[in-house]
Amino acid sequence: AGMNGTAIENFACVIFNVSFMNCTWHVGRTATEDTQYFLYWRPSKREDVRECQNYIKDDFGRHTGCRFQNVTIENRNAYFLVNGSRSGQNIQSYEKKILLYQIEKLTPPLNVSVNCTEASHRCSIWWQPPRTSHVKKSSCFKYEIVIENK
């Protein structure tokens, strides 16, 4: 239901700093200034649907994103729905299913230490895995070291 071109476009979410998530979108091609969008999500099939509590707004006051806190990631799908209205008319809704672990931007490794000895021309580098809410085994991480000679 709803007029063509009113549904949101370019919906994307990213999880960062372990438990924060931002979801953003562009307004529909035929959306007018009085169009308003509302984001609902369900972190898993076992949980209740929740509406966004912290919207990101454009210059017209339209909701174009949402900021979430205390998001927990498990190897499961989350379900998103964005609907809305304009001048009392329904707009097209948008639905998406996302595996949350696939959208997490990991923090850099922690406590990086370097010890170089000039006599042996060798360096030892140590670090701890990045913080994450869902990876339990440090062997799951792969690292790349770039050494620049200055």
Side-chain angles (χ1 to χ4, degrees):
M3 193 169 138
N4 283 341
T6 56
I8 63 161
E9 299 175 350
N10 301 320
F11 182 84
C13 296
V14 63
I15 295 174
F16 60 97
N17 287 348
V18 180
S19 64
F20 295 93
M21 179 171 71
N22 282 356
C23 294
T24 58
W25 58 84
H26 295 125
V27 300
R29 291 182 311 278
T30 63
T32 56
E33 292 177 17
D34 65 341
T35 300
Q36 190 56 278
Y37 297 100
F38 302 96
L39 171 65
Y40 300 89
W41 83 300
R42 190 170 62 181
S44 74
K45 285 188 176 183
R46 299 184 307 266
E47 296 182 55
D48 292 333
V49 173
R50 307 173 194 171
E51 182 182 354
C52 173
Q53 298 297 306
N54 189 10
Y55 283 107
I56 300 166
K57 299 178 182 183
D58 69 7
D59 293 341
F60 299 110
R62 298 177 294 194
H63 300 157
T64 57
C66 184
R67 294 183 182 95
F68 298 94
Q69 295 179 336
N70 304 317
V71 174
T72 56
I73 303 170
E74 293 181 13
N75 293 335
R76 60 184 183 195
N77 286 308
Y79 303 88
F80 296 86
L81 167 71
V82 180
N83 64 16
S85 65
R86 68 175 186 194
S87 301
Q89 298 175 326
N90 287 337
I91 63 166
Q92 289 177 318
S93 61
Y94 174 90
E95 295 181 45
K96 187 164 189 175
K97 178 172 63 170
I98 298 174
L99 281 166
L100 293 179
Y101 76 88
Q102 292 182 333
I103 62 169
E104 182 179 19
K105 299 292 182 197
L106 296 173
T107 63
L110 302 171
N111 301 322
V112 177
S113 301
V114 179
N115 182 16
C116 296
T117 57
E118 203 170 316
S120 66
H121 301 290
R122 294 183 185 267
C123 291
S124 297
I125 305 171
W126 300 269
W127 62 86
Q128 293 175 327
R131 290 180 47 229
T132 177
S133 68
H134 73 286
V135 178
K136 305 302 181 214
K137 297 180 188 174
S138 60
S139 62
C140 291
F141 293 102
K142 291 184 180 181
Y143 302 94
E144 179 179 326
I145 299 172
V146 177
I147 299 174
E148 295 180 8
N149 196 2
K150 296 189 178 197

